[in-house]
Amino acid sequence: MDSVEKGAATSVSNPRGRPSRGRPPKLQRNSRGGQGRGVEKPPHLAALILARGGSKGIPLKNIKHLAGVPLIGWVLRAALDSGVFQSVWVSTDHDEIENVAKQFGAQVHRRSSETSKDSSTSLDAIIEFLNFHNEVDIVGNIQATSPCLHPTDLQKVAEMIREEGYDSVFSVVRRHQFRWSEIQKGDIFPWNRCETKCCGWTVILNQIREVTEPLNLNPAKRPRRQDWDGELYENGSFYFAKRHLIEMGYLQGGKMAYYEMRAEHSVDIDVDIDWPIAEQRVLRYGYFGKEKLKEIKLLVCNIDGCLTNGHIYVSGDQKEIISYDIKDAIGISLLKKSGIEVRLISERACSKQTLSSLKLDCKMEVNVPDKLAVVDEWRKEMGLCWKEVAYLGNEVSDEECLKKAGLSGVPADACSTAQKAVGYICKSNGGRGALREFAEHIFLLMEKVINSCQK
């Protein structure tokens, strides 16, 4: 199913949203000001991603790198590129999360310690945010743990709220799963045979125990998957609600509808899958930005700190000695076999004789004061656009090339300036498999490009 469906409107008398548990704090509504008479402003729709620093499962999970991008970065990219929000916010209590949020272009609300406890609810944090932002009329609460969210989903939900008059819309996914009633421990057998003595006779008793019951199927007529529509489940990706509902303590209610997301886009790292599987799903189905990916034809790699670990050894006769990881050499070989040109660059006056001894068979330029100019010259020489160029760098001198390239990456130990300029941060350090890892990332994305061209 390529297009998603929206559910029929429903009115409920006591509609409590899934993210809220317990009694919410009272909302303090401030008086509005500054609105001219006779001119009605469009309702202010704010995206709000809740991201506490504390996590019982994975420390700082919200900014842990998933497929080379901080987890929260995936939903921030989708929210910002959707173009439907007047403001995009991250509510957090942690400095590192604040820094990542600002790098992606979001505004930050520093939440209080009262709404940052393990016992605090999503609704508590949303109400606190609204207390400080009287201009907001509608909140789109987006879960940071839904990295396959796409801007088109958010655009359609915004239209449902603004144009079709819904008070609340939440995301669901269709599942084809048969459900059965739960049996308490010790009651799993339908019959329990026991013996007892009575007047010298042995009496055999068959005691009836509780049995499981089907909840959504007839076992005698099990439907085939293609003959059954399945059921809708909340997937937790987002909850949109108007301010007056939140004032009453609800995230779901009023004129209410669901929005059905595609199954492949419905990923919840808190519940469904572990991190490595999530990375594979994101690389295949995630949103990578407004501009379509193009097939990579050229990879440029900085030598010091990327191909090597940056360490230089000098022999007794003053000859330079460097080391590299064989995994990276294999990565270069695989790239070349797939038709991708690999070239090496360095701002340092490296020994070409030493580099040639590595037998990587790559064109290289050393002692380069302006890397961007050299890479641009290579690009033009090959008749490529920047979207067809990948760049792996690690230093301040690589920043402009990283920003220009269609695909950009840095080793895990790259400087902070380089890390802020890229779309992919390797798990491996420079000279320790980062180039091979980046090559694998390129292959996965190229598979995505090929699949999109075949559709």
Side-chain angles (χ1 to χ4, degrees):
M1 180 176 60
D2 199 16
S3 59
V4 289
E5 300 173 3
K6 42 190 181 181
T10 307
S11 293
V12 292
S13 57
N14 188 29
R16 293 202 175 272
R18 188 184 85 166
S20 62
R21 298 186 298 274
R23 190 74 179 168
K26 186 176 180 181
L27 184 71
Q28 298 174 356
R29 185 72 181 273
N30 300 320
S31 60
R32 290 176 179 262
Q35 295 188 13
R37 294 183 178 179
V39 179
E40 186 175 348
K41 290 186 177 181
H44 185 117
L45 173 57
L48 180 62
I49 295 95
L50 306 178
R52 281 195 312 133
S55 175
K56 290 183 177 179
I58 305 172
L60 287 178
K61 174 188 62 185
N62 291 311
I63 55 173
K64 177 180 169 67
H65 282 89
L66 179 74
V69 176
L71 177 60
I72 197 172
W74 291 100
V75 293
L76 284 174
R77 181 188 289 163
L80 289 162
D81 285 359
S82 71
V84 299
F85 298 104
Q86 277 89 340
S87 58
V88 176
W89 294 84
V90 170
S91 171
T92 187
D93 61 336
H94 199 278
D95 291 343
E96 289 185 50
I97 297 176
E98 177 177 354
N99 291 336
V100 170
K102 288 179 176 178
Q103 286 174 22
F104 276 85
Q107 300 180 72
V108 174
H109 168 75
R110 289 296 296 220
R111 69 165 76 176
S112 67
S113 58
E114 287 300 309
T115 60
S116 301
K117 300 175 181 177
D118 288 340
S119 59
S120 301
T121 68
S122 297
L123 193 57
D124 294 336
I126 294 170
I127 286 177
E128 180 189 72
F129 168 79
L130 286 178
N131 281 336
F132 285 90
H133 297 282
N134 189 55
E135 75 279 3
V136 175
D137 301 295
I138 309 164
V139 173
N141 176 213
I142 302 171
Q143 304 296 323
T145 54
S146 300
C148 283
L149 184 65
H150 282 240
T152 50
D153 295 319
L154 301 173
Q155 290 164 356
K156 291 173 183 177
V157 173
E159 182 180 346
M160 293 171 69
I161 294 276
R162 286 171 168 159
E163 306 298 329
E164 300 178 36
Y166 288 102
D167 297 310
S168 62
V169 180
F170 56 94
S171 58
V172 300
V173 64
R174 188 174 300 274
R175 291 178 179 167
H176 294 76
Q177 295 175 332
F178 295 132
R179 294 181 291 110
W180 293 79
S181 63
E182 184 177 358
I183 303 302
Q184 298 300 315
K185 187 176 181 180
D187 292 340
I188 60 174
F189 297 103
W191 297 91
N192 187 21
R193 179 186 175 92
C194 66
E195 297 182 1
T196 187
K197 296 287 186 179
C198 181
C199 301
W201 293 84
T202 298
V203 181
I204 299 177
L205 301 176
N206 283 324
Q207 296 178 324
I208 298 177
R209 300 301 234 173
E210 185 180 358
V211 297
T212 186
E213 296 287 344
L215 298 178
N216 64 346
L217 81 152
N218 178 357
K221 298 180 179 179
R222 290 175 63 91
R224 298 182 305 168
R225 181 184 176 90
Q226 59 265 39
D227 297 330
W228 182 43
D229 289 337
E231 297 180 326
L232 297 177
Y233 291 78
E234 287 186 26
N235 67 356
S237 284
F238 54 75
Y239 298 85
F240 281 59
K242 291 184 177 178
R243 186 174 188 125
H244 73 271
L245 269 181
I246 300 173
E247 287 176 345
M248 295 188 292
Y250 308 137
L251 282 179
Q252 295 163 299
K255 184 181 177 182
M256 179 172 54
Y258 62 79
Y259 177 85
E260 185 180 348
M261 290 179 62
R262 294 168 58 173
E264 60 266 32
H265 292 170
S266 182
V267 177
D268 187 349
I269 292 180
D270 272 342
V271 177
D272 290 336
I273 48 183
D274 60 18
W275 211 267
I277 298 175
E279 287 190 322
Q280 296 301 312
R281 182 82 72 88
V282 167
L283 287 169
R284 184 173 292 272
Y285 300 114
Y287 171 71
F288 287 85
K290 290 181 179 179
E291 296 188 33
K292 289 185 178 180
L293 293 170
K294 297 200 73 169
E295 189 173 354
I296 295 299
K297 303 289 182 61
L298 169 65
L299 167 64
V300 179
C301 176
N302 188 38
I303 295 171
D304 298 311
C306 290
L307 176 64
T308 75
N309 62 7
H311 296 174
I312 301 172
Y313 306 92
V314 181
S315 65
D317 56 358
Q318 300 301 304
K319 287 185 178 180
E320 185 178 286
I321 302 172
I322 58 174
S323 66
Y324 70 104
D325 196 309
I326 191 64
K327 293 195 296 285
D328 292 327
I330 293 173
I332 290 175
S333 177
L334 292 172
L335 287 163
K336 291 166 71 174
K337 285 180 180 177
S338 68
I340 298 175
E341 175 86 5
V342 179
R343 298 188 179 184
L344 306 175
I345 195 168
S346 176
E347 62 188 308
R348 192 173 61 84
C350 308
S351 168
K352 283 196 172 185
Q353 183 178 358
T354 302
L355 293 170
S356 297
S357 67
L358 301 180
K359 297 181 180 179
L360 297 175
D361 193 25
C362 296
K363 183 174 181 177
M364 63 186 74
E365 286 289 339
V366 299
N367 198 20
V368 176
D370 187 350
K371 292 179 180 177
L372 182 62
V374 172
V375 177
D376 195 41
E377 184 179 335
W378 284 344
R379 175 188 68 81
K380 292 175 181 176
E381 170 194 312
M382 296 178 64
L384 306 178
C385 66
W386 275 104
K387 288 295 175 184
E388 296 171 298
V389 177
Y391 193 95
L392 183 66
N394 68 307
E395 272 299 342
V396 175
S397 60
D398 297 308
E399 182 182 9
E400 293 306 314
C401 291
L402 291 167
K403 289 179 177 179
K404 281 274 191 179
L407 282 181
S408 58
V410 294
D413 55 350
C415 75
S416 59
T417 300
Q419 288 194 16
K420 291 176 183 178
V422 300
Y424 185 84
I425 300 177
C426 298
K427 297 175 185 176
S428 306
N429 288 342
R432 294 292 182 268
L435 199 159
R436 172 65 183 271
E437 182 184 337
F438 190 51
E440 294 291 346
H441 179 64
I442 292 173
F443 293 144
L444 284 168
L445 293 186
M446 291 309 96
E447 183 182 340
K448 185 183 181 79
V449 171
I450 292 169
N451 290 337
S452 64
C453 291
Q454 291 174 346
K455 289 181 180 179

